[in-house]
Amino acid sequence: MSIETLVQQANQASTPFNKASFDQVVMSTYGRFPIALEKGDGCLLWDTEGKQYLDFVAGIATCTLGHAHPALIEAVTQQIQKIHHISNLYYIPEQGELARWLVDNSCADRVFFCNSGAEANEAAIKLARKYAHTVLDIDKPIILTANASFHGRTLATITATGQPKYQTNFYPLVPGFDYVPYNDIDAVEAAIGELDEGDYGVAAILLEPLQGEGGVRPGDIKYFQKLRSICDETGILLIFDEVQVGMGRSGKLWGYEYLGVEPDIFTSAKGLGGGIPIGAMMAKKFCDIFEPGEHASTFGGNPFACAVALAVCHTLEKDNIIQNVHYRGQQLRSGLQAIAAKYGDRIAEVRGWGLINGMELQPDIELTAIDLVKAAMNEGLLLVPAGTKVVRFVPPLIVTEAQINRALEIIEQVIATI
C-alpha cells in the first residue's frame, strides 16, 4: 500500500476536532488560541473549519522550509522505509553526515545531538561545569546569563533564563547561575570581579546573539567583541544560544556571524530540523572534554531526525534560501518601520535581523502584544508575542515578497482599527 493511500485513508477516518474533549485530556500548560490547525503548504495553514492563514509564526521560528516542503516529504518518506531509530551504541551514518555539514559550515569542531534547544543548552551547561572543574580548577562554577534571556524549560535552563516569571513556583532552582543586563559590558566585568572569590569562579558566559523571547533585542557588536576578549584573557567559556536565531533565520547561517566573534560552544535546535525534533550542542575541539557515559540522549541524532535535518541543510544551500532571508527581512523591516512612522502613538520601535523581527508597542497604551496577535489572527495572519509589548514576526525562511506585502497590509489594517 502506498504512502499516498495511507494518508488518504487516515484523512477519511479522522473525526471533527472537539476542543472540549481535547481540554479534558491534555494538560493546560499552554494558553492556546481558539483555532485547530490541520494542514499546511509553504507559508500557508488551514484550520479545521477550512479558514486559511498566513503563517508568520513557523512553529515559533522552527519551520525553516515552511509546511509540506517537497525536500522534507522526500527525506521523511525515504528514511522511514530504511531505518528510523537505533541506539547511539552504534555508528549512525546520517548523524556523521549531519555533524560533518555543521562542522564544515561553522566554527565548531565537534557536535553532540539531542532533541531540543533546552537539551542542547543543558549539554552546554554540563560541558561548561566539567571544564570548570577539570581545566579551570573552579570548585563552585558560576555561569553568567543575561536578564530577559530565555534558554529553555528544564529546571537548569529556566534557572539560566533571566526572567523570574518562568521560575515562579519551581524553587529551589539549580545553583550556579548569576545574571547581568544584556549588552552591558561594565556589568559583566563587575560580576566577574565579585564572583571570582574563594571557591567560586565564573566558568562561562551564556548569551543569545539576539534575545528572542526577551523582546527581539539584537546583541551589540562592540559588547560581544569585548566579551570575546575577556574570555580569551581569563579562560572563561563563551557560549551562544543559537536555538532561535541559527540555521539562517538571522540572514546569516549563524547569529554569531553578525557579531564578528566566534563562541567556544553554541547550541542549535528549532530550525535545524525544520519541525522534526532535533537539537545540537557544538563545541571547539579544546573544550570537547566529554567522555563515554558522561552525557547521552536516547533519541538524539537518530537516523530519522538527522536525515530530515540534512534535507534542511542541503535545501538552504541549493535554493539559496539565506539570500531570500536577507532580502525578505529587509522588506519586512522597512514595511514595519513605515507603519511605525505612521502610527507612532502606538508603535515605539521595530528591530531585528533577517526574518526574526519585533515590533514594540508604546509602553503607555493599553494595547498589548496579545491584543494585536488576536486581531491579526482574525484577519488571517498568525503572529506570536515576545513579551507583553512586543509582537514577533518569524515566518518560514521561504516566505515570498507577495506574502510579506500581504502580512504588512494586514498588520497595518489591524493597527489602524484596533
Side-chain angles (χ1 to χ4, degrees), residues 40-45 53-69 72 247-249 271 274 316 321-322 324-326 328-329 332 354-357 381-383 393-401 403-404 407:
D41 181 14
C43 295
L44 299 176
L45 287 167
Y53 299 87
L54 183 54
D55 182 13
F56 271 51
V57 177
I60 310 185
T62 298
C63 299
T64 307
L65 305 180
H67 306 281
H69 192 283
L72 295 191
M247 287 304 295
R249 180 152 295 277
L316 284 178
I321 286 175
I322 294 179
N324 185 66
V325 176
H326 174 72
R328 298 288 73 80
L332 178 58
L355 286 174
I356 177 167
N357 293 277
L381 173 64
L382 299 182
L383 300 169
F393 297 74
V394 282
L397 305 190
I398 60 169
V399 68
T400 66
E401 181 180 3
Q403 288 169 334
I404 294 285

Side-chain angles (χ1 to χ4, degrees), residues 26-347:
V26 178
M27 287 188 177
S28 56
T29 55
Y30 294 90
R32 291 182 172 88
F33 296 108
I35 60 173
L37 301 169
E38 67 172 357
K39 64 179 180 178
D41 181 14
C43 295
L44 299 176
L45 287 167
W46 287 265
D47 67 16
T48 52
E49 303 299 318
K51 181 175 178 178
Q52 183 187 96
Y53 299 87
L54 183 54
D55 182 13
F56 271 51
V57 177
I60 310 185
T62 298
C63 299
T64 307
L65 305 180
H67 306 281
H69 192 283
L72 295 191
I73 293 173
E74 182 180 4
V76 166
T77 303
Q78 289 186 0
Q79 192 62 42
I80 202 68
Q81 295 179 85
K82 291 168 55 181
I83 186 169
H84 70 288
H85 178 77
I86 52 175
S87 170
N88 277 294
L89 292 171
Y90 314 104
Y91 283 95
I92 301 173
E94 296 83 1
Q95 184 181 132
E97 189 178 349
L98 177 58
R100 170 55 59 191
W101 191 94
L102 291 170
V103 166
D104 288 347
N105 288 276
S106 77
C107 64
D109 299 308
R110 301 284 191 275
V111 185
F112 169 82
F113 289 107
C114 50
N115 307 294
S116 68
E119 289 183 33
N121 287 333
E122 285 266 0
I125 290 166
K126 285 183 66 175
L127 185 58
R129 286 192 170 189
K130 181 179 181 184
Y131 190 85
H133 288 294
T134 62
V135 178
L136 300 179
D137 196 26
I138 298 173
D139 186 45
K140 297 178 180 179
I142 302 294
I143 296 176
L144 290 180
T145 69
N147 295 333
S149 60
F150 184 85
H151 299 293
R153 299 280 190 168
T154 66
L155 197 55
T157 55
I158 65 163
T159 308
T161 293
Q163 299 193 58
K165 68 179 181 180
Y166 292 112
Q167 301 166 347
T168 302
N169 295 326
F170 298 114
Y171 293 94
L173 299 176
V174 177
F177 295 91
D178 202 4
Y179 315 98
V180 291
Y182 192 60
N183 283 336
D184 185 339
I185 199 66
D186 292 336
V188 172
E189 292 176 326
I192 292 173
E194 292 172 3
L195 293 168
D196 284 346
E197 296 180 0
D199 294 335
Y200 290 91
V202 175
I205 301 171
L206 168 60
L207 297 169
E208 299 157 274
L210 172 150
Q211 290 191 327
E213 301 295 327
V216 190
R217 300 185 185 279
D220 178 74
I221 292 175
K222 290 183 179 179
Y223 167 78
F224 274 88
Q225 291 179 344
K226 180 61 176 175
L227 278 178
R228 181 68 271 175
S229 295
I230 290 171
C231 291
D232 289 340
E233 293 167 4
T234 61
I236 294 171
L237 294 174
L238 184 58
I239 307 174
F240 286 175
D241 178 342
E242 294 249 6
V243 169
Q244 194 157 160
V245 301
M247 287 304 295
R249 180 152 295 277
S250 71
K252 298 181 183 291
L253 185 58
W254 306 110
Y256 71 74
E257 296 178 80
Y258 259 102
L259 304 172
V261 299
E262 293 183 354
D264 302 312
I265 301 169
F266 66 103
T267 58
S268 179
K270 285 189 179 288
L272 177 60
I276 297 299
I278 186 170
M281 186 269 290
M282 292 163 273
K284 293 195 171 182
K285 187 176 181 179
F286 80 90
C287 56
D288 171 29
I289 57 172
F290 276 152
E291 296 178 2
E294 291 188 326
H295 198 53
S297 171
T298 296
F299 296 107
N302 74 19
F304 183 81
C306 288
V308 176
L310 274 166
V312 172
C313 295
H314 293 155
T315 305
L316 284 178
E317 286 184 305
K318 178 174 65 72
D319 294 352
N320 206 13
I321 286 175
I322 294 179
Q323 184 180 58
N324 185 66
V325 176
H326 174 72
Y327 288 123
R328 298 288 73 80
Q330 287 184 330
Q331 177 192 358
L332 178 58
R333 271 188 307 284
S334 295
L336 291 175
Q337 287 164 353
I339 295 171
K342 188 174 179 179
Y343 298 95
D345 59 326
R346 300 183 183 190
I347 303 172

